[in-house]
Every structure is written in structure tokens, then in C-alpha cells.
């Protein structure tokens, strides 16, 4: 048994929807209603500024940034597209109070409305300090600020790299202070020190100095100074950016942070090896005073000279004291002189003895040298020399020419040894003792008759000289 639903009016409930007379508002689809709501919301809230605390901050892989803005009683979703999110001047984190500027729209897929943010700013210095502390805590937990990783500054750097604005008073103060204390070579890497893009330029400058190779065309600095004048926390915020802090912490060159005045503190100060209260103080930390160095060198030179003088004087006194205990010179030389006299005496006796022996040998050998033996040897050698001279004369072809002979040569100067060769030569030269006569041999002619050749009578052989008898002459 079913119980009917009670009705408050007399109109009977209907199961099937029917058009009602006089009703000019037809039923809308969900899409149509969502689109109408979207147009209404966007037209009514085309530009709004909303202040709230970030919650659920998240950057998607696409580069879009999603979060929620909340206060004590309400919450609204927000989205910041990739292009606007990339230009943020800070890293948004949960708990930071911000002011978002954008437009309100709806998301029909979930029946939600959200704020599409075009710009996001930190709401006041209090919120900025909270962001500062959060970033400091997070980077500090990674060890970027540990004292164990700090490098000592070089005592006298040859090249100093300065990261700052090239037109501000900061670079003039640094250069002037360096010139007063100790002139040093300075390389300036110009950057923006505040505003959009400043953090990226500062980080690139620090990494650029660190990337320079030693001995290259641009000298690698021995020290880097990151400097900026004073300003509000917003003006100095570029030096609190994570990209700058990491670049300074990773730099292998010792770094001085000189950002703002003494009361200004940035995260760059924590990351650097040394913090300077002002840019001028950074220049004073970078180099010693040249005049003081010269004075110190003069002091050391004076002390070194005095020490050497005292040492020499003390050594002289010790030498004098020791000399008093030494024996006299005559006593030291007397034994040596006696040994020298003994050696000279022995040498004299030895020389006289050797001369006597040599004299005896000369007398003994000189007795064998008699004049007769010398003359016999002289006659024998002279006879031998005369025989050789006669032999040379007999073998001389010029001597034969003088006795009526002639030497036959052909036109080329070669000797003609036979009649057949003479007939074949044609032109001959007959060489006599007093000159040459050219002749021509007739072709085919018989040689003229000639007297028979009479052989010369041989000369009687000469007896060789008698050999000297054996005796003292054999010595020669």
C-alpha cells in the first residue's frame, strides 16, 4: 500500500513536464546556465585586487601556478598562467600574504569560480619579511650558509671583479677606495641592481666570473665583490632571490657581499664568504694599505739588518776569544818548515846523484864515437846517393832525346808505340830534345828504307863498393 506525498496547494503534481500558458522562460541546459554565469561573473569582476594568504601553492609541469587565497572566513582558488608566472619577482610560498590582481571567472567543469591572476605582489614589508625568513630557513637547511664552506679572502688580490651598476655611486666609491689603499686591477660586470631581471643578471655575472679560465684573454678575478647601495627591502629584494643566493654560494672565487647599508641584511650576505657593511668597507676588506705594507717591509728590513749586524759582531767576539787559545804562528809553522828543509836537502842530493850517473853514461858511450867511423859511414852514404842519381839520369826520357832519339805522339798527344799505329794515325808529332815537328803519314805508302838497327854495346858492369867491415861503424 503506497502513501501519496502531501501537497500544499490544490495543484496536482505532474510526472511529465508541460509548457504552462503565459510562461516565456524555457528551461536552460547546464552548459547554457554555466555560460551565463561565466559572462555575468566576468563582466561584473573584470578587474579585481584581492588580498589574502597563499595556500596550497604549486607550480605545474606546464609552468602554470596554482594556489588558493584565503583569510579567516573564506577561500578562493587562483591560477596564474605560465607567461605571468615566469615574471614573478619572488617565489610564492604558503603562508605569504599577497595582493593578487586579475579577473574573476568560472570553471564550468567543476561548478567553481576562480581568480585568474595577472600580477602577484607581496602585501607589505611584513609579508616580505616572512617570505625572507621562509627562504632563509629553506636554503639554510641545504647548507648554503654554513661557515665550514666559507673561503678565506686573498691577502693581496691582483684582479678584483665587481658586480654592480656601472652608473651608480657604488662603483665610484669602490674604485676611489681601492686607489687610496692599494691600486689594483678591477673588472666591472655591469648589471641591474633592482627591478625586473636584476636577479638573473646578478646571478649570471657571478657565474660568468667563476667560469673564466686562468690565463685566458680576460683575467680571472682573485676576488669578487657583489655590491649595491642602500634602499628598502623591496629595492634590495633581487639579492634575496634564490638564483642569486645559489650563484654566490657555488662560486669558487672568494666573494664579498656589500649590499645596502650596515642595517640592511640580504640572503646574499649569508651566502657570501664575507659580508661587508657597505661597498666602501668591501674595498677596504679587499686590499691592505699600500703605505702600511711599505712601512712594514721597512721595519722588517731594519730588523733583519740589525739581526745580521748583531750576529756578525757576536761571531767576531767569539772568534777573537777562540784565537787567544790558539798557539803562535811560529810554533805552528816550525815543524812544517823543518820538513820542508829536509825534503829540499834530499832533493838536492838526489839530483846530484842522478847527474853523476848520467855523466858516466855519456863518457862511456862517447868513447865509441871515433872520427874514422864517422867518415866511413859518410863515404858509404855519398856513394849510394851518387848511384841513385846516375840511375835516375839514365831513366830520364829527355836524356834519350838528346842522344838523337825522338818520341812519336798522335794528334791527341798519346805515344805511338808501333809503325802500324803510326800509319793509321795520319798526323803525328815528333818530339826532339829541342822541340816538336808535325808530320803527315802518306796513305798506302811503303815506309822508306832505313839503315839496319845496331844494338848499342852494353857497358861493363860496375863492381859494387866493398861492404865495410863489421865494427863500431854499424852504429850508423
Amino acid at each position: 500500500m503506497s502513501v501519496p506525498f502531501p501537497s500544499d496547494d490544490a495543484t496536482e503534481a505532474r510526472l511529465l513536464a508541460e509548457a504552462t500558458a503565459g510562461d516565456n522562460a524555457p528551461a536552460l541546459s547546464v552548459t547554457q546556465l554555466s555560460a551565463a554565469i561565466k559572462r555575468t561573473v566576468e563582466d561584473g569582476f573584470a578587474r579585481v585586487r584581492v588580498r589574502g594568504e597563499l595556500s596550497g601553492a604549486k607550480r605545474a609541469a606546464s609552468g602554470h601556478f596554482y594556489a588558493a587565497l584565503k583569510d579567516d572566513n573564506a577561500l578562493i582558488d587562483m591560477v596564474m598562467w605560465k607567461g605571468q608566472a615566469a615574471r614573478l619577482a619572488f617565489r610564492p610560498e604558503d603562508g605569504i600574504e599577497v595582493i593578487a590582481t586579475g579577473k574573476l571567472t568560472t570553471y564550468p567543469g567543476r561548478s567553481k569560480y576562480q581568480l585568474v591572476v595577472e600580477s602577484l605582489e607581496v602585501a607589505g614589508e611584513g609579508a616580505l619579511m616572512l617570505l625572507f625568513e621562509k627562504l632563509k630557513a629553506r636554503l639554510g637547511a641545504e647548507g648554503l650558509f654554513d661557515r665550514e664552506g666559507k673561503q678565506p679572502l686573498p691577502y693581496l688580490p691582483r684582479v678584483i671583479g665587481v658586480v654592480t651598476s656601472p652608473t651608480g655611486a657604488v662603483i665610484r666609491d669602490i674604485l676611489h677606495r681601492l686607489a687610496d689603499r692599494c691600486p689594483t686591477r678591477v673588472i666591472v660586470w655591469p648589471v641591474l641592481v633592482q627591478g625586473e631581471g636584476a636577479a638573473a643578471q646578478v646571478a649570471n655575472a657571478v657565474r660568468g666570473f667563476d667560469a673564466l679560465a686562468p690565463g685566458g684573454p680576460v683575467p680571472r678575478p682573485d676576488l669578487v665583490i657583489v655590491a649595491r647601495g642602500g634602499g628598502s627591502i623591496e629595492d634590495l629584494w633581487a639579492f634575496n632571490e634564490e638564483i642569486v643566493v645559489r650563484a654566490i654560494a657555488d662560486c669558487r672565487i672568494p666573494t664579498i657581499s656589500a649590499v645596502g647599508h650596515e642595517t640592511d641584511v640580504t640572503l646574499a650576505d649569508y651566502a657570501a664568504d664575507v659580508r661587508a657593511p657597505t661597498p666602501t668597507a668591501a674595498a677596504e676588506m679587499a686590499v691592505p694599505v699600500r703605505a702600511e705594507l711599505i712601512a712594514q717591509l721597512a721595519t722588517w728590513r731594519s730588523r733583519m739588518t740589525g739581526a745580521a749586524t748583531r750576529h756578525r759582531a757576536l761571531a767576531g767576539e767569539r772568534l777573537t776569544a777562540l784565537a787567544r787559545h790558539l798557539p803562535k804562528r811560529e810554533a805552528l809553522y816550525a815543524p812544517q818548515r823543518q820538513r820542508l828543509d829536509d825534503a829540499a836537502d834530499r832533493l838536492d842530493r838526489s839530483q846530484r846523484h842522478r847527474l853523476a850517473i848520467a855523466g858516466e853514461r855519456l863518457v862511456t858511450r862517447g868513447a865509441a864515437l871515433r872520427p874514422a867511423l864517422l867518415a866511413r859511414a859518410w863515404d858509404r852514404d855519398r856513394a849510394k846517393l851518387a848511384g841513385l842519381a846516375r840511375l835516375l839520369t839514365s831513366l830520364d826520357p829527355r836524356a834519350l832525346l838528346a842522344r838523337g832519339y825522338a818520341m812519336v805522339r798522335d794528334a791527341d798527344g798519346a805515344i805511338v808505340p808501333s809503325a802500324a799505329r803510326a800509319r793509321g794515325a795520319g798526323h803525328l808529332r815528333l818530339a826532339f830534345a829541342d822541340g816538336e815537328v808535325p808530320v803527315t803519314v802518306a796513305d798506302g805508302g811503303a815506309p822508306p828504307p832505313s839503315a839496319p838497327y845496331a844494338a848499342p854495346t852494353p857497358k861493363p858492369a860496375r863492381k859494387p863498393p866493398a861492404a865495410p867491415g863489421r865494427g863500431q861503424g854499424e852504429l850508423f
Side-chain angles (χ1 to χ4, degrees), residues 93 131-148 150 240 242 245-246 249 267 270-271:
E93 297 184 2
L131 179 61
F132 175 89
E133 294 298 334
K134 284 181 174 290
L135 186 57
K136 175 183 174 184
R138 180 166 60 83
L139 298 179
E142 297 182 20
L144 269 64
F145 307 146
D146 293 347
R147 298 302 306 173
E148 292 75 10
K150 304 302 181 184
N240 292 321
E242 183 174 350
V245 176
R246 291 190 182 277
L267 295 181
Y270 292 98

Side-chain angles (χ1 to χ4, degrees), residues 132-180:
F132 175 89
E133 294 298 334
K134 284 181 174 290
L135 186 57
K136 175 183 174 184
R138 180 166 60 83
L139 298 179
E142 297 182 20
L144 269 64
F145 307 146
D146 293 347
R147 298 302 306 173
E148 292 75 10
K150 304 302 181 184
Q151 306 177 79
L153 301 183
Y155 180 70
L156 189 60
R158 293 174 297 176
V159 180
I160 298 177
V162 179
V163 179
T164 190
S165 171
T167 59
V170 170
I171 187 61
R172 292 196 298 271
D173 293 343
I174 291 176
L175 295 177
H176 179 71
R177 196 57 176 160
L178 290 176
D180 287 345

Side-chain angles (χ1 to χ4, degrees), residues 28-299:
L28 301 175
S29 67
V30 176
T31 300
Q32 291 174 333
L33 179 60
S34 297
I37 295 173
K38 182 179 180 67
R39 287 193 299 271
T40 302
V41 171
E42 290 182 352
D43 292 342
F45 302 93
R47 178 176 176 80
V48 295
R49 286 172 57 84
V50 183
R51 180 169 184 158
E53 180 182 322
L54 289 176
S55 176
K58 178 182 65 175
R59 190 181 292 269
S62 61
H64 306 322
F65 174 70
Y66 298 93
L69 292 175
K70 68 177 184 178
D71 57 16
D72 295 339
N73 302 312
L75 180 145
I76 184 173
D77 291 334
M78 60 160 281
V79 61
M80 197 171 192
W81 306 128
K82 177 181 178 180
Q84 288 77 17
R87 294 196 296 269
L88 281 175
F90 67 100
R91 177 173 175 172
E93 297 184 2
D94 290 353
I96 304 300
E97 188 175 11
V98 296
I99 296 178
T101 302
K103 66 179 180 178
L104 199 63
T105 186
T106 63
Y107 182 49
R110 295 183 183 177
S111 299
K112 296 175 59 177
Y113 63 90
Q114 61 183 6
L115 184 64
V116 178
V117 178
E118 297 176 357
S119 65
L120 196 65
E121 302 166 322
V122 179
E125 292 190 2
L128 204 56
M129 288 304 300
L130 179 60
L131 179 61
F132 175 89
E133 294 298 334
K134 284 181 174 290
L135 186 57
K136 175 183 174 184
R138 180 166 60 83
L139 298 179
E142 297 182 20
L144 269 64
F145 307 146
D146 293 347
R147 298 302 306 173
E148 292 75 10
K150 304 302 181 184
Q151 306 177 79
L153 301 183
Y155 180 70
L156 189 60
R158 293 174 297 176
V159 180
I160 298 177
V162 179
V163 179
T164 190
S165 171
T167 59
V170 170
I171 187 61
R172 292 196 298 271
D173 293 343
I174 291 176
L175 295 177
H176 179 71
R177 196 57 176 160
L178 290 176
D180 287 345
R181 291 176 65 86
C182 186
T184 308
R185 184 173 183 178
V186 177
I187 300 177
V188 180
W189 196 304
V191 296
L192 294 174
V193 292
Q194 73 180 66
E196 185 177 351
Q201 290 190 17
V202 173
N204 291 337
V206 174
R207 296 190 186 279
F209 275 136
D210 194 28
L212 291 175
V218 178
R220 178 183 174 86
D222 302 311
L223 178 68
V224 172
I225 299 176
V226 180
R228 187 206 187 281
S232 64
I233 186 173
E234 183 179 1
D235 296 335
L236 305 180
W237 190 256
F239 298 90
N240 292 321
E241 289 288 344
E242 183 174 350
I243 186 175
V244 173
V245 176
R246 291 190 182 277
I248 294 176
D250 295 340
C251 186
R252 294 167 295 177
I253 303 174
T255 307
I256 299 177
S257 174
V259 180
H261 298 303
E262 295 185 17
T263 56
D264 297 324
V265 179
T266 64
L267 295 181
D269 298 334
Y270 292 98
D273 296 300
V274 175
R275 174 188 179 266
T278 62
T280 302
E284 294 176 355
M285 293 179 179
V287 295
V289 180
R290 181 173 180 271
E292 294 178 358
L293 291 179
I294 295 175
Q296 185 64 46
L297 289 175
T299 301

